[in-house]
Amino acid sequence: MAPEPTLWHSHGLDILDRSEAERTRLRAGFTTWLQLLAHPLTMIICCRRRPEQRPTIKPEGRGCARREVPACPPGCAAFSRTTYLLLPHQDGQDDFRLLAALQAACQVETHAATRLPALGEGPWSERSRGLVVGGRWISSLRMAGPPGVEVDAGWLWDLVGTPGEFDLAIRVVPRPAGATDRSLRRRLRGLMAQELVGSPSGSDPRVVGAAHAVRELRQVLARTGGRLFHVEMTVSLCADSAAEVSALAAVFRTRASQLRMKWTPAWFDELPARLETLGRPLPGGRPRFLMATEEVGTMWPWVATTEASIQERTVLGRHRRTDSLVTLDLDPGTGQANANVAVVSASGGGKSYLAGLVGIEAVRRGQTVVVIDPENEHGKWCSAVGGDYVDLARSQGCGFNALELGSTAEASALALDLVDVLTGPLSVQERSAALRAATHVIDSSEPQRPGVLGDCLSALRQEEGGRNLAERLSPWVQGEAGLLFSSPGRGPSVRAVCVIGMRDLPEGWLGAATLLVSAWVWYWLKATSGAKQIIVDEAGLLADVPALRRLMARLARRARKYQGSLMLLTQTGSDLTQSAFGEVVAVNAATVLLGSQHEVGARRLQQAFGLDERDRLWLQQAGRGDFLMVSGTRRTPLCVEAPPEYQAWLAATDPPR
């Protein structure tokens, strides 16, 4: 009695979401693994409708208003697709050796499974054109002709992407090497004999073509050391009525016709066909096709991403091809190199909407968020989640005191940089005087009354080299400017979110204000415990400010050490590829999100991030809210989407849809 086959649940990389080099490597690994097969293998791809996911989670950010918010967009990932492997279990150790080799060659993880997920449960009856199981209709199709066009690994998605519930079984039966060669030689001799006999009207082109194909196949097998396999494919489609399952079958066959494949209904043979998709075929004749190892190697069955827990990750939207949820791991405590994100998209591509969504998700996950907002676009969602919006043009008394941000040495150096930006380049003598004045004020100040920049004027006036500097500095530490540049305090208290708006600041104030905010962000990052998210929107508008450039480079390199994550958004790739600080950010960003681009910009990004030609074309055709997530060899096309409740909060950022 034959041993009972073993069933394994498997999870592999979605080969269509990988770079060209990685796709080639994975296909080669799968082809090599197929050479190890000594017994039949059945791969079963199960597609099931999943119930709508609408869990509610209460944000736990510091001081955040407790609101119940949905953790994922409605309607996403209507179907889940899982791949199972059925091995013959000839030897107790054979399965484990094969699965270990599969993991090494293809990065496929497996664990034992007891049964396939049911298509229908309950009493069943067989009809001429289907099975009725528990009130649901199941109709099967068998492959009657393999793809008639050249295909590459991942082509199975054209079939398994059908929007419906089904089981697709691929049975691969290796042929012994000696039997293969004998069979081909026998077939070739028979065809040559038919050619010699001929017919009154001349050579039969079908015989000539078949003989040529056999010769080519023998050469390929000799050159590559490959093998031959018998391949069978059967699909069982399921719906709630006969009309619905018939419509689903029509969709499946239409998708197959694009590959020039032929599928025939298993009418009057429905039960045996269903058993085939359960991995239990009955003896008997079924359509089977002879394929070389290279052809079978294109049948990579893992073409859908397994979703991670939405509780622990940032939900961005849905996958453009599979409709599954796309999540992002922004936890700086994980094993990845860093949790930084760089975003590049043309104006109107949905960057600010994406930044707001990431900010809300960070609050949902209990992180503290700071946003530098040059265009004042993040006020609405900030207030909605219980955060504080600080508009520097209208709330200048928020207390960014350069003399309180850090140790004496750090605060003195910051005060010196601030004076240099406010008054213009300093001479060597003026720098010395300013540094001494700042150090004196810091050392002589009391906890009840910390010193501010304006207190340095008296010390400067007492030095010959500082009198002119004091006159130039005086207007900046009085009146409205003094409220921003000479007010006590160590910046705003961040409860859940703090957004720093800078749009309406006078042009002459922007550099100094950015310096202060940058210094405060760095001070806040080091002084605050717990996971933190820092978002710099429209970084290109501030790229000319040396303080922000230094901050972004410092954050990119060291934010992880303080449980921080940096998200930087800009319109042009040159901000990341043609400047020293941008290169630092790009190198230290584990994830890059690329949005719509014109051809020139897309070509620059292609060169900078090693994109394929198909990726470049995707960027040129991307719509508003479409992004390509690049992380290592992963290339994930996604559409940014937020739940309806988020939409109201993000309205001020012009939602992409």
Side-chain angles (χ1 to χ4, degrees):
M1 185 174 181
E4 189 73 12
T6 56
L7 184 67
W8 300 85
H9 176 277
S10 66
H11 166 54
L13 303 177
D14 187 341
I15 199 168
L16 295 177
D17 280 359
R18 298 287 154 175
S19 65
E20 184 176 0
E22 182 72 355
R23 294 197 303 272
T24 301
R25 186 189 70 80
L26 291 174
R27 175 180 173 176
F30 188 52
T31 302
T32 302
W33 180 76
L34 290 171
Q35 299 279 60
L36 303 177
L37 293 179
H39 303 285
L41 162 74
T42 302
M43 301 178 288
I44 305 174
I45 304 174
C46 300
C47 183
R48 299 292 183 271
R49 183 181 297 276
R50 69 158 52 89
E52 186 178 0
Q53 299 183 22
R54 291 298 299 272
T56 57
I57 302 168
K58 296 180 180 180
E60 297 291 347
R62 294 178 177 84
C64 176
R66 295 177 65 83
R67 288 180 169 83
E68 293 190 356
V69 293
C72 66
C76 275
F79 298 95
S80 63
R81 298 169 179 87
T82 310
T83 301
Y84 292 86
L85 304 179
L86 196 64
L87 301 179
H89 198 66
Q90 296 292 330
D91 183 337
Q93 296 300 317
D94 280 353
D95 285 359
F96 297 105
R97 283 194 290 265
L98 275 175
L99 296 176
L102 182 62
Q103 183 173 17
C106 306
Q107 298 175 247
V108 174
E109 299 179 1
T110 57
H111 62 265
T114 57
R115 54 171 291 183
L116 296 172
L119 272 179
E121 293 183 303
W124 65 272
S125 62
E126 187 175 9
R127 310 290 176 84
S128 61
R129 297 194 177 191
L131 297 174
V132 180
V133 181
R136 306 196 74 197
W137 279 76
I138 298 177
S139 180
S140 299
L141 304 171
R142 291 187 176 116
M143 180 178 69
V149 296
E150 185 176 354
V151 294
D152 201 354
W155 67 266
L156 278 177
W157 173 256
D158 290 341
L159 302 181
V160 302
T162 302
E165 293 187 284
F166 57 82
D167 289 336
L168 175 68
I170 306 169
R171 181 173 169 83
V172 178
V173 183
R175 298 199 58 179
T180 296
D181 189 59
R182 286 194 301 271
S183 175
L184 289 177
R185 282 186 295 171
R186 190 181 305 114
R187 177 61 174 159
L188 185 59
R189 284 198 300 269
L191 292 170
M192 292 174 64
Q194 292 185 49
E195 284 188 271
L196 291 175
V197 172
S199 65
S201 57
S203 299
D204 188 341
R206 292 174 297 179
V207 173
V208 174
H212 178 70
V214 172
R215 292 189 184 96
E216 279 195 341
L217 181 57
R218 291 191 68 193
Q219 292 175 0
V220 168
L221 294 177
R223 184 172 63 252
T224 63
R227 303 170 60 186
L228 285 183
F229 297 84
H230 279 130
V231 177
E232 308 166 12
M233 292 180 67
T234 308
V235 63
S236 292
L237 305 159
C238 183
D240 293 331
S241 68
E244 290 177 353
V245 79
S246 177
L248 181 59
V251 172
F252 184 89
R253 296 178 73 175
T254 298
R255 295 176 70 99
S257 67
Q258 297 173 359
L259 298 168
R260 296 182 64 186
M261 293 184 73
K262 297 178 181 179
W263 289 77
T264 58
W267 292 342
F268 300 99
D269 205 20
E270 292 288 349
L271 181 57
R274 176 59 180 142
L275 291 175
E276 292 163 22
T277 58
L278 292 173
R280 301 177 181 275
L282 298 176
R286 293 182 299 274
R288 60 192 328 194
F289 298 90
L290 201 63
M291 296 186 182
T293 313
E294 289 292 326
E295 294 177 277
V296 182
T298 65
M299 296 182 181
W300 180 273
W302 301 278
V303 285
T305 303
T306 299
E307 299 166 12
S309 170
I310 61 177
Q311 304 283 349
E312 303 170 358
R313 298 170 70 94
T314 296
V315 182
L316 297 181
R318 61 182 175 86
H319 195 291
R320 266 302 185 193
R321 172 171 53 84
T322 67
D323 262 353
S324 59
L325 289 177
V326 177
T327 61
L328 184 62
D329 191 352
L330 291 179
D331 184 356
T334 57
Q336 59 184 355
N338 58 69
N340 299 332
V341 181
V343 181
V344 182
S345 180
S347 177
K351 296 187 303 300
S352 297
Y353 186 87
L354 171 62
L357 177 59
V358 170
I360 297 174
E361 283 285 281
V363 174
R364 174 182 68 81
R365 297 174 57 240
Q367 292 186 325
T368 311
V369 183
V370 167
V371 183
I372 298 178
D373 184 12
E375 289 295 308
N376 290 18
E377 294 182 304
H378 298 279
K380 192 169 184 178
W381 72 261
C382 171
S383 300
V385 298
D388 297 302
Y389 192 90
V390 178
D391 188 345
L392 293 187
R394 297 175 176 82
S395 308
Q396 297 165 8
C398 50
F400 293 101
N401 185 12
L403 302 186
E404 295 185 66
L405 299 179
S407 63
T408 299
E410 292 172 332
S412 299
L414 174 59
L416 182 61
D417 289 342
L418 180 59
V419 171
D420 183 77
V421 174
L422 290 172
T423 64
L426 303 179
S427 65
V428 175
Q429 192 176 19
E430 288 174 337
R431 291 183 67 86
S432 299
L435 185 60
R436 286 192 296 270
T439 304
H440 171 73
V441 171
I442 295 172
D443 291 340
S444 61
S445 62
E446 300 178 357
Q448 297 79 7
R449 190 194 179 283
V452 295
L453 191 62
D455 296 336
C456 297
L457 292 179
S458 59
L460 287 173
R461 288 176 178 136
Q462 294 174 10
E463 296 192 33
E464 183 177 352
R467 291 170 189 160
N468 185 31
L469 176 59
E471 294 303 316
R472 304 202 315 267
L473 180 61
S474 179
W476 293 103
V477 296
Q478 301 176 37
E480 291 186 2
L483 294 176
L484 177 59
F485 301 117
S486 189
S487 281
R490 296 181 176 179
S493 176
V494 183
R495 297 181 295 167
V497 181
C498 182
V499 178
I500 310 297
M502 308 176 69
R503 181 181 63 186
D504 298 324
L505 280 176
E507 187 69 26
W509 295 19
L510 189 59
T514 304
L515 172 61
L516 271 182
V517 172
S518 302
W520 168 75
V521 169
W522 181 245
Y523 171 81
W524 167 80
L525 176 68
K526 295 190 297 180
T528 306
S529 60
K532 297 169 283 290
Q533 179 70 52
I534 301 166
I535 300 174
V536 183
D537 198 1
E538 296 294 355
L541 298 178
L542 304 175
D544 293 334
V545 181
L548 185 62
R549 294 202 298 268
R550 289 196 298 270
L551 169 72
M552 289 188 288
R554 185 186 296 173
L555 288 175
R557 291 191 183 102
R558 302 177 60 190
R560 177 184 172 87
K561 297 181 179 179
Y562 302 100
Q563 292 183 274
S565 169
L566 171 67
M567 182 177 188
L568 182 145
L569 302 98
T570 185
Q571 292 187 13
T572 62
S574 59
D575 290 334
L576 296 179
T577 59
Q578 297 183 8
S579 63
F581 92 90
E583 185 175 350
V584 171
V585 172
V587 168
N588 289 279
T591 305
V592 180
L593 289 163
L594 305 177
S596 61
Q597 296 286 320
H598 297 297
E599 182 178 359
V600 174
R603 290 189 180 278
R604 288 176 179 171
L605 293 175
Q606 179 184 16
Q607 183 176 8
F609 296 104
L611 304 181
D612 303 334
E613 190 67 15
R614 65 163 190 167
D615 298 331
R616 179 184 67 81
L617 295 175
W618 192 92
L619 292 179
Q620 292 179 213
Q621 299 167 4
R624 198 172 188 188
D626 291 339
F627 288 87
L628 182 69
M629 186 164 68
V630 179
S631 181
T633 62
R634 185 180 177 186
R635 308 284 189 267
T636 306
L638 68 100
C639 174
V640 175
E641 284 189 0
E645 290 82 352
Y646 286 10
Q647 290 279 12
W649 302 349
L650 294 168
T653 59
D654 296 330
R657 291 288 181 268

